[in-house]
Amino acid sequence: MSTLSVPHLLGIKDLTPEDLDLIFKTAEQFKEVINRPIKKVPSLRDITVANLFFENSTRTRLSFELAEKRLSADVVNFSAAQSSVKKGETLVDTVNNILAMKVDLVVLRHSAPGAAYFLSQHVDASIVNAGDGAHEHPTQALLDAFSMREALGRDNLKGVKVAIVGDILHSRVALSNIFCLQKLGAEVLVCGPNTLIPKHLHELGVLVESDLNTALEWADVANMLRVQHERMDLPYFPSLPEYIAQYGVDRKRLEQLSRIPVIMHPGPINRGVELSSDVADSEHSIILQQVENGVAIRMAVLYLLAAQRTPHYTS
Amino acid sequence: MSDRLERVRVVDPHSPYDGQTVHLVLADGQIHSVEPTSESATAWVSPGWVDVLATCGQPGHEERETYATLGAAALRGGFVQVAVSPEGNPVRDNATGIAAFLAETQHLPVEFLPLGALSSGTNGAQLAELHLQQQAGAVGFFDAYRTTESALLLKLALQYTNHRDIPIYSVPVDRSLNPHGSVHESAATTRLGLKTLPALAECIRLERDFRLLEYAGGNLHLHGLSSAEGVALVAAAKKRGLAVTADTTIAHLLFTDEDLVNFDTRLKVFPPVRSKTDQEALWAGIMDGTLDAIASGHRPYDIESKQIEFDYASYGAASLEYAYSAFTARYGSHHQAQSTWVRAVSHGPRNLLNLGQVRIAEGSPAELTLFNPEGPEPLREGKAFNYLPFKELKGSSVGVFTRGNYYTFR
C-alpha cells in the first residue's frame, strides 16, 4: 500500500495500522533526507500549504513550517491568538478566504475539540490537525511512536509498556498517543492526579495508576506531559509543590527504580515541574530526538496527503 | 354549523371509543356525536397535541424563528397548543410582556401558551412578578434554560405559588460540577476530548429540588430529563407523593452520546444527550408514565449559531414538525405505541399545564389532531437551521381541528 486510507489527517482514530506503517516508512526516508547536507527535496513543489494557528504554538508551527519548506512547498502562515469567532469571522469563512488564494493543504491548530473535523466538512482542502483542544494531536503521537521505535531499536511496538504521566484530562497528546499506541500493539498506562484523569478512560482499554513509582517501575517508556495551566478552568490540584511531590520526575526518583524507562516529553517542558533538568537533559531522555523526528513525520504526512490530492505533482 | 370527520380511528386511552373507527360530528367547538363504524379508517384521531416547551426567536432573534414560523411548524407537527419559553430580547418577565405575547399570537392557528420568567430578567436572583404574570395568562414559570442555581430562589418561588395550580419549570442540572461541560461523561465522549457534564449533575440537582419541593410545596415541572438515575429519582419522588411532573425531549429519546462522534452541533442540546442505557430508561419512563410528557424542546438557531466549532455552538435543536414522525419511526405505528405518544403529548401536558382534558367523546372540546402513522414524513415549515439529524421518519399529522377551525395537510 502506498497511499493513506484517509483524505485528511484529523486524528489517529481514523488511521489503520497500515496507514501508520506507511507513515513511519515514509518518515524514515525523510529523516535520511533531512540529515543530508542539502536537506531539501522537490516533492511538494507547486503545492501551497497554509499553517493556520488559532492557538499559540512555537514548536509545532516551526516543525510544520520546516517540514513544508524541506519539501519545497509554498508556505503561508496565519496566526491568531484568539478564535476566529471572537474576532467576528467564522472559522469556515477565514479558511475559505485563504483557500480562495489557491491553497492545497491546511495545517490547523485550534483550541476547540473537533475543529479539524468541522473544517474538513466545509472546505475543499486536505486538513492536517495540528492539535484541536483536548481532542487529538496526531502528528505528535506519530512522532512519539516513531521515536519509541528508534529508542528501543524495534520496528514495532507490540507488547511495549508505555506510561503517560501528568495532566491526561486536558491533553490531546495523551488521547492521540493512546489511540496510536493501541493500534501498534503497545500497552498503555496513564498516571496522574485522579482529578486529571477522565473517569471513563479505563473503558478505552488503558490501565490507570495513581502512584508514579509503580507506573515508572512498570514502564519501558514514560511520556511525561506538561501541566496545561492554560486549559485548566478549575482547580484540579491544590498547588504546584504538591503536584511536583507526587508526579514530578527527578534523578532521585529514577535511581530508586530497578530499571529506568526511556523518558519522553512533547514539550515545552515545565522544568522543575514534570521533569527536573537533570532528567530532561540525561541520557535517558530522547526529547530532542522527538523534536528532530517531528520534522520527518510531518514531512511524511504532508507528502502522503498531497500525493492523494494531486498525484501528478508527487509521483 | 357542523363538521364531520369520517372513518377515523380513535387513539385515546380515556375514551370509550379507544381503538374503534368512528365518524365524528363537531359543532360549536365541541364533539357533538361519535358514531362507531365497521368501515376501515382513513386516518387516526386523538385529543389535540400539546407541546410543553418550545422556544421562539421572536422577540429579538427573528432570524431564528418568528411567531408565524413557529406556529406553522407546530401546526404541521400536529400540535394545537404550544407552551413557549420566555427567552428573547427582551425576556418575557412581566404582565405586560405576557399580554403583548398573547396579543401578537392570538391570530395564529396554534394557540401559544406563554411561560413567564421565574426571576426578573431570568437573572436567577429576584423573583419576577409571578402573580401578575399568571393573571395576564402565563401557564407556568421558567428561567429559559438557565438552571436555577439559587436554592433560595426556587424555595421562594415554590412557597409563593404553592396555593396556585401553576408549574415552575426547572432544568435539573447542577452546572457547578463542570461549568463548561457540554456533553455526557462517557467513554464515547472521552474519545472526543470535549468537556463533560455527567449524569451526576442531574441527580444532585433533582435531590435538591425534591427537598425544596417537600419543604415549600408548590408544583415543580422538570424539563429535559436525560438520565436513568434521573428517571429513577423522579419515580421515587412521585411515590413519596411530591407534586412533580417531568418530561424528556425528542432529542434525548432519539440520540445518544455515540451520535456525537463527528462533533455534530445539531446534537449539542441542554441537558446533553446521554448513553444508550439512559436512553432506554427514558423510553421506559415514558411508557410507564414516570415521565409525563415528551417535549419537542424545539430551540431554533440560525446557521451562524450552529455551523461553527462544537465548543462555540449554541445549545438547542429544532424538531417541532418531526417529533411525531421520529417517535413513530422509532417506537412503532401500532395502537399501543400511538397511545403512548398521545398520553405524552396530550394527557400529560394538559394535566401539568392545567389545561383541562380533552376526550374523544360526546360533549368534549373539539381540540383534535388527525394523523397517519403509516404516512410520509411532514414538510418543513420552521425557519431554523438546526433541525435534529433524524435517521428515520415515519408518519405525520394530517389535520388539526382547533378553536373551531379545521386545517388539513398531506
Side-chain angles (χ1 to χ4, degrees):
Chain A
M1 192 186 78
S2 60
T3 57
L4 294 174
S5 65
V6 289
H8 312 278
L9 180 61
L10 305 178
I12 298 290
K13 269 196 293 263
D14 309 324
L15 300 180
T16 63
E18 290 75 28
D19 289 329
L20 296 175
D21 197 48
L22 176 63
I23 292 169
F24 294 145
K25 286 202 168 88
T26 311
E28 279 166 12
Q29 293 169 27
F30 282 124
K31 184 160 182 184
E32 188 269 320
V33 167
I34 60 177
N35 280 290
R36 290 179 194 162
I38 296 170
K39 301 174 177 62
K40 207 160 178 169
V41 289
S43 308
L44 293 195
R45 201 161 55 199
D46 291 336
I47 296 281
T48 306
V49 185
N51 298 314
L52 308 184
F53 280 68
F54 292 94
E55 192 182 58
N56 288 332
S57 164
T58 305
R59 67 193 55 220
T60 303
R61 189 167 57 80
L62 203 62
S63 181
F64 266 108
E65 196 172 337
L66 268 177
E68 291 149 8
K69 287 182 170 166
R70 288 188 171 156
L71 289 167
S72 303
D74 294 319
V75 180
V76 289
N77 290 307
F78 176 91
S79 296
Q82 56 178 351
S83 81
S84 57
V85 169
K86 287 176 188 162
K87 288 163 56 196
E89 187 181 42
T90 68
L91 177 61
V92 173
D93 281 342
T94 305
V95 176
N96 270 329
N97 269 282
I98 291 163
L99 292 182
M101 301 174 216
K102 308 303 172 200
V103 167
D104 304 287
L105 283 161
V106 170
V107 176
L108 179 75
R109 160 71 62 96
H110 200 287
S111 61
Y117 274 85
F118 168 71
L119 203 60
S120 71
Q121 290 159 1
H122 293 103
V123 303
D124 180 26
S126 287
I127 312 291
V128 180
N129 182 3
D132 59 334
H135 179 223
E136 284 226 42
H137 191 351
T139 56
Q140 182 69 45
L142 290 166
L143 77 88
D144 285 348
F146 188 78
S147 302
M148 285 178 212
R149 286 164 31 128
E150 263 188 3
L152 298 170
R154 305 172 53 141
D155 62 1
N156 72 68
L157 294 179
K158 282 195 177 64
V160 171
K161 294 176 176 177
V162 181
I164 304 172
V165 180
D167 177 1
I168 311 297
L169 184 67
H170 297 99
S171 176
R172 51 193 170 215
V173 176
L175 212 47
S176 280
N177 259 273
I178 289 167
F179 296 143
C180 188
L181 292 166
Q182 287 182 334
K183 282 178 196 278
L184 295 169
E187 290 181 59
V188 185
L189 173 150
V190 296
C191 178
N194 290 335
T195 52
L196 287 174
I197 294 177
K199 186 172 172 58
H200 294 268
L201 196 63
H202 64 280
E203 292 174 39
L204 307 190
V206 173
L207 299 169
V208 177
E209 174 59 55
S210 302
D211 181 67
L212 179 59
N213 291 345
T214 307
L216 293 175
E217 193 67 62
W218 173 87
D220 299 315
V221 178
N223 198 350
M224 307 298 297
L225 301 182
R226 191 168 63 86
V227 175
Q228 312 248 347
H229 294 293
E230 72 279 10
R231 289 205 197 113
M232 285 193 199
D233 44 13
L234 301 168
Y236 288 93
F237 55 84
S239 71
L240 217 47
E242 194 156 303
Y243 180 87
I244 296 166
Q246 296 177 86
Y247 298 102
V249 172
D250 56 14
R251 186 165 279 278
K252 190 175 152 202
R253 194 189 288 272
L254 288 186
E255 283 170 352
Q256 290 169 353
L257 301 172
S258 59
R259 66 192 171 108
I260 297 178
V262 174
I263 301 292
M264 301 177 70
H265 193 294
I269 307 171
N270 293 320
R271 281 182 183 258
V273 181
E274 58 267 8
L275 283 178
S276 64
S277 285
D278 58 1
V279 172
D281 303 332
S282 74
E283 70 279 18
H284 305 294
S285 157
I286 61 164
I287 294 170
L288 292 178
Q289 287 95 308
Q290 287 176 264
V291 176
E292 180 186 346
N293 289 336
V295 177
I297 281 287
R298 287 169 180 129
M299 287 172 79
V301 166
L302 292 163
Y303 170 81
L304 290 167
L305 288 175
Q308 273 186 325
R309 191 168 175 82
T310 50
H312 58 287
Y313 282 122
T314 51
S315 58
Chain B
M1 175 165 171
S2 66
D3 289 282
R4 188 174 169 86
L5 299 177
E6 297 270 356
R7 294 161 57 196
V8 287
R9 176 173 172 159
V10 176
V11 184
D12 179 3
H14 297 146
S15 165
Y17 303 102
D18 186 34
Q20 296 183 40
T21 300
V22 301
H23 303 308
L24 291 181
V25 178
L26 315 174
D28 301 325
Q30 291 194 323
I31 299 174
H32 183 261
S33 66
V34 185
E35 303 159 10
T37 172
S38 58
E39 295 171 90
S40 61
T42 56
W44 301 36
V45 68
S46 75
W49 301 344
V50 180
D51 188 10
V52 294
L53 186 61
T55 300
C56 189
Q58 193 172 347
H61 283 293
E62 285 77 2
E63 74 280 9
R64 297 174 183 169
E65 196 89 280
T66 63
Y67 294 142
T69 59
L70 184 70
L75 185 70
R76 196 63 188 80
F79 294 95
V80 298
Q81 289 171 304
V82 178
V84 182
S85 167
E87 72 187 86
N89 188 11
V91 169
R92 197 166 57 242
D93 65 353
N94 56 43
T96 308
I98 299 287
F101 173 85
L102 287 171
E104 285 188 66
T105 60
Q106 63 180 352
H107 66 282
L108 297 170
V110 172
E111 185 182 7
F112 281 9
L113 307 169
L115 294 168
L118 181 66
S119 62
S120 184
T122 64
N123 65 9
Q126 168 71 40
L127 275 184
E129 293 172 337
L130 305 186
H131 168 73
L132 294 175
Q133 288 192 86
Q134 187 180 14
Q135 290 286 100
V139 297
F141 302 112
F142 180 47
D143 260 353
Y145 288 95
R146 295 195 179 178
T147 53
T148 312
E149 295 305 315
S150 164
L152 174 63
L153 179 77
L154 185 59
K155 187 202 82 160
L156 292 175
L158 289 166
Q159 281 180 318
Y160 194 69
T161 58
N162 69 10
H163 60 294
R164 305 160 193 271
D165 281 334
I166 191 161
I168 287 172
Y169 278 47
S170 166
V171 180
V173 178
D174 186 336
R175 295 223 70 167
S176 69
L177 261 184
N178 190 350
H180 304 291
S182 61
V183 296
H184 180 53
E185 183 180 77
S186 65
T189 57
T190 298
R191 291 173 193 277
L192 302 177
L194 292 166
K195 291 189 171 69
T196 59
L197 196 55
L200 178 65
E202 181 165 286
C203 299
I204 290 173
R205 183 48 52 90
L206 284 172
E207 298 272 19
R208 185 203 77 168
D209 285 1
F210 292 148
R211 289 284 178 163
L212 290 169
L213 183 62
E214 204 160 28
Y215 175 89
N219 297 287
L220 182 66
H221 177 66
L222 302 161
H223 170 65
L225 260 282
S226 64
S227 73
E229 297 98 317
V231 174
L233 287 169
V234 170
K238 286 188 168 185
K239 204 171 173 186
R240 272 158 59 201
L242 294 182
V244 63
T245 53
D247 72 58
T248 188
T249 78
I250 204 73
H252 293 90
L253 288 171
L254 270 295
F255 297 94
T256 69
D257 56 348
E258 303 276 351
D259 296 310
L260 291 166
V261 64
N262 287 323
F263 300 90
D264 191 337
T265 58
R266 291 172 297 178
L267 294 175
K268 184 176 178 181
V269 294
F270 188 77
V273 293
R274 300 198 184 276
S275 69
K276 185 90 184 150
T277 307
D278 293 310
Q279 189 187 49
E280 285 166 2
L282 294 173
W283 277 104
I286 288 293
M287 285 181 239
D288 69 17
T290 300
L291 301 181
D292 303 83
I294 297 173
S296 74
H298 183 84
R299 209 172 173 199
Y301 280 103
D302 48 71
I303 188 169
E304 289 81 6
S305 305
K306 279 293 192 178
Q307 195 168 290
I308 51 178
E309 300 89 318
F310 194 92
D311 269 1
Y312 306 140
S314 300
Y315 288 97
S319 63
L320 208 42
E321 299 94 316
Y322 304 117
Y324 168 72
S325 313
F327 174 94
T328 299
R330 178 63 172 268
Y331 191 38
S333 52
H334 50 87
H335 189 84
Q336 187 204 342
Q338 298 295 300
S339 292
T340 301
W341 169 258
V342 169
R343 198 175 62 218
V345 296
S346 183
H347 299 109
R350 286 176 194 284
N351 181 46
L352 76 92
L353 290 168
N354 303 295
L355 299 176
Q357 289 297 342
V358 172
R359 289 194 311 149
I360 307 297
E362 294 84 348
S364 179
E367 294 292 314
L368 308 171
T369 298
L370 287 101
F371 52 106
N372 178 3
E374 302 292 348
E377 65 184 73
L379 296 173
R380 181 176 297 187
E381 299 285 351
K383 197 174 177 181
F385 168 76
N386 58 321
Y387 276 84
L388 284 167
F390 293 115
K391 297 176 191 99
E392 196 186 352
L393 295 168
K394 184 182 176 190
S396 68
S397 69
V398 295
V400 164
F401 200 98
T402 179
R403 295 192 281 182
N405 295 310
Y406 186 32
Y407 305 90
T408 57
F409 20 85
R410 294 286 168 183

